[in-house]
Amino acid sequence: MSRRFTPKVVTANALLEGDAVWLRADGGWSRDMHDAQLFEEEELANEALRHALAQPDLVVGAYLADAKAGPEGPVPTHFREDFRTRGPSNYHLGKQAEA
Amino acid sequence: MYRYDDFDDAFVRTRVAQFRGQVERRIDGSLTEDEFKPLRLMNGLYLQLHAYMLRVAIPYGTLRAEQMRQLGMIAERWDEGYGHFTTRQNIQFNWPKLKDVPDILEALADVEMHAIQTSGNTIRNVTADHFAGAAADEIEDPRPAAELLRQWSTDHPEFQFLPRKFKIAITGSPNDRAVVKAHDIGLRMIRNEAGEPGFEVLVGGGLGRTPMIGKVIRDFLPKEDLLPYCEAIVATYNLLGRRDNKYKARIKITVHENGIDTFRDLVEQKFIETRAAFGGADQELLREIEAAFAPPAFRAVDTAPFEAAREADPVFRAWADTNLAEHKDAGHAIVTISLKKPGATPGDATAEQMRVMADLADKYSYGELRVSHEQNIILPHVAKDDLPALHDALKSVELATANLGLVSDIIACPGMDYCALATARSIPIAQEIAERFEELKLEHEIGELKLKISGCINACGHHHVGHIGILGLDRAGVENYQITLGGDATETAAIGERAGPGFPAEEIVGAIERLVLGYLDVREGPEETFLQAYRRLGPDPFKAALYPDTKDAA
């Protein structure tokens, strides 16, 4: 049997800006991971990913990333995804500078 | 230096115009990402963690002042005010917007630069000794040969879809500053018994997940056979190299699996054909290129003011003793500008720093600069009486750090702060180690120590050939850093050996400190470098310093 499914968000990079974006429940994209829809069920997650992959005019390289529920919305569980919500650690650039 | 002719200029501008159309079609939806991705990669445009990244080739690491100035302009106008010089002698812009990239490429074409073949399974930017054309120990300037290779390999119809990427490095000096033994083809200029210059040709070197030192395929190749011989190597690899497995596709695996003797036989057979086909046609072109690389007319210099400043000012002396290298003209020096101020990001320069370096090159270095694979900038020809004024000017823009070849002169790849392939961060580790040794005030006492950090197994940070190498990995969702010891990037190249279990991010700086202090305890004297001590003593005393709680470290 496959491993137990862990909660996921759909994420990608925006086509024009290149920055990280997350799929919202309304089918649109947000630059803030807290707005993302958190999928607890594998089938729904896969369906959302198919929806994302069908939007090559908006995003590039959509994939499912592990996440968990936080007080303000989904938060990352892996450091790579955490960096994507912030930006690089050597300069105040990227999402951390937009907040 | 070599200037574009009409053909070069038309070729680059045509590519810019094509890419402009491709970007427009991607944005309006008529190209999918699957269609567009190979096109953008052909033009050096990657998509990284936080943004697009444009990788611009700096052929053989040579820049004119106006080119450096333009890079600064691009950083300011279309990026976030800085650029990152890489271990491939390229510059990367980390924040371009897709729609702006054609304009950036146009601005590059204005100064005879481009981003072609900085990605893909092609022959990449040819790298060279960063002291080329200036070094006292040089037999000949290797850049005419490098430029010939650039023209031959650019858009070479047979070599656009090789089994994997292909990197050539060249040095005109027997002392290898270009890591030629860790390249697909390494070319090291030597003299034969008759005193004629030619190349020792190495093949199948490389770092990455299967690090290998290049093997000698030709002890001595006459200069005029360079292109047909390289063509024979690449053509042989193109047929023989594996395409079934990306991780076994580099020429190092081809040579390893077939054996150097078999591979050499095939190359020599092919060489009979290629040599006849070339028929020396490239040699006329080479002579034109050589003329373009004629050295500047070095002015006569009174070195007394330099000696006086060196005696009078300890800060200047520390910088001069650390960052200068011997020039072929006794009145001049090769100046390395360190992009490694402790706490700064290795290899990064701000737009202002780029402008200042360009101006200083015009004023003091006959308009020339170089980029080193060690991520520093070189002013290759500075008259010694200008050095005090140059040092003052560098201080004003935080570019006068006197740490060349010392522990804080760290190579670091962008790591997971930028790179989509990374498994851990490199930059913060480099920053913390450099700052720690700055606090200890020991680095001049420690002496030559090459510390190199990669944020994944692909080894852009050359960790395998660092005296101390650090490899960042993801261990069960936590950044973890493995240490290798005893690597060497020079003509005595060696792959470092893994010291033992890795360290979490919060322990790696302390581990490096213990390791280096441990070296100070065991060295025979200040003249014995870290690497020499390691070679004399073997790994045990170094492992004991790294893992003090392990009783049976010996």
Side-chain angles (χ1 to χ4, degrees):
Chain A
M1 285 295 286
S2 59
R3 286 183 305 168
R4 201 173 64 83
F5 180 74
T6 51
K8 301 272 193 295
V9 293
V10 179
T11 185
N13 288 71
L15 170 65
L16 295 179
E17 306 295 314
D19 63 335
V21 290
W22 291 268
L23 188 68
R24 291 193 307 246
D26 66 3
W29 294 91
S30 173
R31 301 201 130 78
D32 182 349
M33 185 176 178
H34 290 143
D35 299 336
Q37 182 175 15
L38 186 67
F39 296 94
E40 309 272 356
E41 286 178 46
E42 188 164 14
E43 231 168 79
L44 295 177
N46 286 333
E47 190 182 321
L49 179 60
R50 281 193 293 276
H51 167 77
L53 291 170
Q55 299 184 39
D57 52 331
L58 293 176
V59 299
V60 180
Y63 62 97
L64 294 172
D66 281 321
K68 63 184 180 189
E72 295 166 60
V75 293
T77 60
H78 189 276
F79 60 90
R80 183 181 195 271
E81 292 303 314
D82 189 35
F83 298 156
R84 291 180 74 244
T85 67
R86 289 205 307 265
S89 50
N90 61 334
Y91 301 115
H92 190 68
L93 291 171
K95 302 224 179 285
Q96 60 199 336
E98 292 156 16
Chain B
M1 275 181 277
Y2 179 78
R3 301 298 305 250
Y4 275 13
D5 61 17
D6 292 346
F7 176 86
D8 295 317
D9 185 65
F11 172 74
V12 170
R13 290 198 188 274
T14 303
R15 280 290 287 267
V16 174
Q18 287 168 345
F19 191 58
R20 189 179 292 283
Q22 289 155 359
V23 169
E24 279 167 14
R25 293 202 294 287
R26 177 70 184 98
I27 290 174
D28 74 17
S30 39
L31 284 177
T32 66
E33 183 62 17
D34 286 347
E35 290 164 333
F36 179 65
K37 188 176 177 183
L39 299 172
R40 70 168 157 80
L41 289 175
M42 280 173 70
N43 292 285
L45 187 63
Y46 290 71
L47 186 53
Q48 296 284 33
L49 272 193
H50 312 296
Y52 287 97
M53 180 272 282
L54 183 67
R55 180 182 291 159
V56 177
I58 298 173
Y60 31 91
T62 289
L63 284 171
R64 297 194 303 272
E66 55 159 347
Q67 293 173 316
M68 179 66 99
R69 203 170 283 120
Q70 188 82 332
L71 294 175
M73 186 281 282
I74 289 168
E76 196 157 73
R77 180 160 172 198
W78 289 296
D79 207 89
E80 291 286 355
Y82 72 99
H84 177 73
F85 291 98
T86 77
T87 55
R88 294 272 314 135
Q89 296 180 314
N90 295 317
I91 184 169
Q92 295 182 174
F93 293 108
N94 286 316
W95 304 95
K97 301 290 185 273
L98 179 58
K99 68 173 173 52
D100 294 333
V101 174
D103 290 339
I104 298 174
L105 294 178
E106 191 90 55
L108 289 169
D110 289 343
V111 291
E112 303 175 4
M113 294 181 77
H114 61 71
I116 294 165
Q117 286 179 212
T118 60
S119 176
N121 294 334
T122 57
I123 299 173
R124 304 287 187 91
N125 184 30
V126 176
T127 52
D129 178 7
H130 42 269
F131 293 166
D137 61 7
E138 186 171 86
I139 295 172
E140 275 182 19
D141 187 343
R143 293 174 302 159
E147 172 60 25
L148 192 66
L149 286 163
R150 184 191 74 81
Q151 296 194 17
W152 160 78
S153 61
T154 301
D155 220 27
H156 191 302
E158 191 177 329
F159 302 147
Q160 291 303 299
F161 296 96
L162 295 168
R164 199 74 180 86
K165 58 185 162 185
F166 202 92
K167 300 172 183 176
I168 302 175
I170 184 168
T171 171
S173 161
N175 300 312
D176 179 13
R177 286 173 289 262
V179 209
V180 302
K181 290 190 175 181
H183 284 75
D184 298 286
I185 292 177
L187 300 164
R188 191 168 73 105
M189 196 174 279
I190 52 172
R191 287 187 192 280
N192 66 6
E193 282 166 8
E196 297 155 340
F199 295 103
E200 177 189 57
V201 184
L202 299 125
V203 70
L207 301 176
R209 74 178 55 219
T210 318
M212 290 196 189
I213 299 298
K215 299 170 179 73
V216 176
I217 188 165
R218 252 302 181 110
D219 294 322
F220 183 84
L221 182 75
K223 273 173 58 185
E224 60 270 23
D225 287 337
L226 180 66
L227 281 196
Y229 199 76
C230 285
E231 180 142 315
I233 292 174
V234 184
T236 301
Y237 161 64
N238 201 16
L239 286 177
L240 196 61
R242 288 178 59 172
R243 291 170 192 266
D244 61 319
N245 182 340
K246 182 179 173 181
Y247 302 118
K248 296 187 184 296
R250 293 289 290 269
I251 193 174
K252 61 189 171 188
I253 306 291
T254 315
V255 171
H256 180 72
E257 288 186 346
N258 292 279
I260 182 68
D261 294 328
T262 303
F263 191 79
R264 182 187 295 113
D265 289 347
L266 291 167
V267 168
E268 291 291 342
Q269 241 173 319
K270 181 75 184 170
F271 178 54
I272 296 168
E273 278 172 46
T274 53
R275 194 161 188 261
F278 271 81
D282 54 317
Q283 293 304 296
E284 195 179 329
L285 176 61
L286 178 64
R287 275 185 287 279
E288 285 171 31
I289 295 171
E290 279 171 342
F293 280 102
F298 297 120
R299 68 175 172 84
V301 178
D302 173 10
T303 58
F306 163 68
E307 300 297 346
R310 200 179 155 278
E311 288 305 313
D313 177 357
V315 176
F316 175 70
R317 180 164 65 241
W319 176 79
D321 289 354
T322 310
N323 289 38
L324 301 186
E326 198 185 344
H327 195 281
K328 61 186 175 186
D329 178 88
H332 286 69
I334 303 171
V335 173
T336 300
I337 301 171
S338 169
L339 298 183
K340 311 291 180 64
K341 183 180 157 64
T345 301
D348 277 13
T350 65
E352 190 206 357
Q353 288 175 328
M354 288 188 241
R355 264 196 306 272
V356 170
M357 289 189 285
D359 292 346
L360 293 173
D362 270 337
K363 197 165 176 185
Y364 298 122
S365 185
Y366 302 83
E368 291 189 36
L369 304 105
R370 311 265 195 272
V371 180
S372 77
H373 79 272
E374 291 174 313
Q375 301 178 288
N376 292 311
I377 301 296
I378 286 98
L379 297 177
H381 314 295
V382 181
K384 285 185 175 169
D385 56 2
D386 284 333
L387 287 167
L390 170 65
H391 181 246
D392 281 343
L394 290 172
K395 275 194 290 190
S396 69
V397 283
E398 305 202 318
L399 288 174
T401 308
N403 66 347
L404 201 79
L406 305 181
V407 63
S408 63
D409 182 15
I410 299 170
I411 288 186
C413 73
M416 205 185 272
D417 285 305
Y418 295 90
C419 178
L421 299 176
T423 44
R425 288 174 294 179
S426 305
I427 292 168
I429 304 300
Q431 290 172 311
E432 286 169 34
I433 291 171
E435 286 181 318
R436 180 62 189 141
F437 281 95
E438 167 89 346
E439 281 166 18
L440 292 171
K441 300 285 174 222
L442 274 176
E443 72 173 339
H444 286 270
E445 187 184 330
I446 294 161
E448 186 188 74
L449 209 176
K450 305 279 190 178
L451 202 159
K452 306 179 196 276
I453 308 176
S454 302
C456 83
I457 198 161
N458 294 312
C460 294
H462 293 190
H463 66 276
H464 295 297
V465 291
H467 302 171
I468 300 173
I470 300 177
L471 167 61
L473 295 168
D474 174 349
R475 281 281 176 264
V478 180
E479 289 167 292
N480 188 276
Y481 295 89
Q482 254 177 27
I483 294 176
T484 51
L485 297 171
D488 177 359
T490 70
E491 65 280 0
T492 49
I495 302 293
E497 295 159 35
R498 200 181 138 189
F503 295 88
E506 58 275 16
E507 292 177 19
I508 184 68
V509 179
I512 297 298
E513 181 178 336
R514 285 198 304 281
L515 176 63
V516 175
L517 296 180
Y519 147 70
L520 291 180
D521 286 342
V522 299
R523 73 180 180 185
E524 287 186 323
E527 66 290 339
E528 187 180 47
T529 65
F530 181 94
L531 183 63
Q532 288 165 342
Y534 182 85
R535 286 182 169 167
R536 178 174 59 86
L537 294 164
D540 290 343
F542 299 89
K543 287 185 184 178
L546 272 177
Y547 305 101
D549 297 334
T550 313
K551 287 206 175 69
D552 58 352

